[in-house]
């Protein structure tokens, strides 16, 4: 198995770690004490980036690995890297304004859809060979 899906996985986890750290930094900057999650719109956007990234990771990681096993580890890594780029664009845009998150969300969502559909096709073809 190629090491590239593993590298993409670690990169996605590092991205999540960074957006999580950004929540702590935003708490201090905008003076939002724990466990409060509302009250400052700038903080709420930073928190939403972290929460949405976690939500998307649950979908992305299994799809990346299923695609890599049943279709191609190289193409899975390309789609996975595209997902990471999309999540960075999503975070960067959302930190500025909620309306600016759309392009990053679209990039990462399309990457996830590609991984999921490709996995499904690869698994079905594998079953047909058995």
């Amino acid at each position: 198995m190629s090491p590239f899906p593993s590298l993409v996985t670690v990169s996605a986890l590092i991205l999540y770690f960074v957006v999580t750290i950004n929540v702590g930094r935003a708490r201090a900057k905008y003076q939002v004490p724990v466990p409060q999650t509302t009250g400052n719109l700038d903080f709420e956007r930073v928190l939403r980036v972290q929460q949405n990234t976690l939500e998307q990771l649950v979908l992305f990681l299994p799809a990346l690995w299923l695609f890599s096993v049943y279709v191609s580890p190289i193409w899975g890594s390309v789609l996975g890297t595209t997902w990471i780029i999309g999540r960075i664009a999503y975070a960067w845009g959302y930190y500025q304004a909620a309306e600016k998150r759309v392009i990053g969300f679209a990039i990462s969502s399309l990457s996830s859809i590609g991984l999921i559909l490709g996995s499904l096709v690869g698994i079905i073809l594998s079953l047909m060979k058995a």
Side-chain angles (χ1 to χ4, degrees), residues 9-111:
T9 298
V10 169
S11 299
L13 295 174
I14 290 169
L15 171 65
Y16 180 70
F17 186 69
V18 169
V19 299
T20 300
I21 288 171
N22 287 345
V23 172
R25 293 174 53 209
R27 279 192 183 282
K29 180 178 181 179
Y30 301 115
Q31 300 176 353
V32 179
V34 174
Q36 190 174 326
T37 58
T38 60
N40 181 293
L41 294 180
D42 293 324
F43 169 76
E44 289 176 25
R45 286 196 312 273
V46 174
L47 181 62
R48 279 304 305 146
V49 166
Q50 186 263 339
Q51 291 174 334
N52 188 264
T53 301
L54 178 60
E55 294 162 3
Q56 295 301 313
L57 270 173
V58 171
L59 180 72
F60 167 71
L61 289 175
L64 168 67
W65 282 97
L66 288 168
F67 189 100
S68 295
V69 169
Y70 287 96
V71 179
S72 165
I74 298 298
W75 284 108
S77 299
V78 168
L79 286 169
T81 301
T82 304
W83 183 88
I84 292 170
I85 291 167
R87 295 313 299 178
I88 291 169
Y90 171 84
W92 191 266
Y94 209 166
Y95 289 158
Q96 296 172 37
E99 305 79 38
K100 294 184 178 184
R101 76 190 192 283
V102 176
I103 290 174
F105 188 81
I107 292 168
S108 59
S109 293
L110 290 173
S111 300

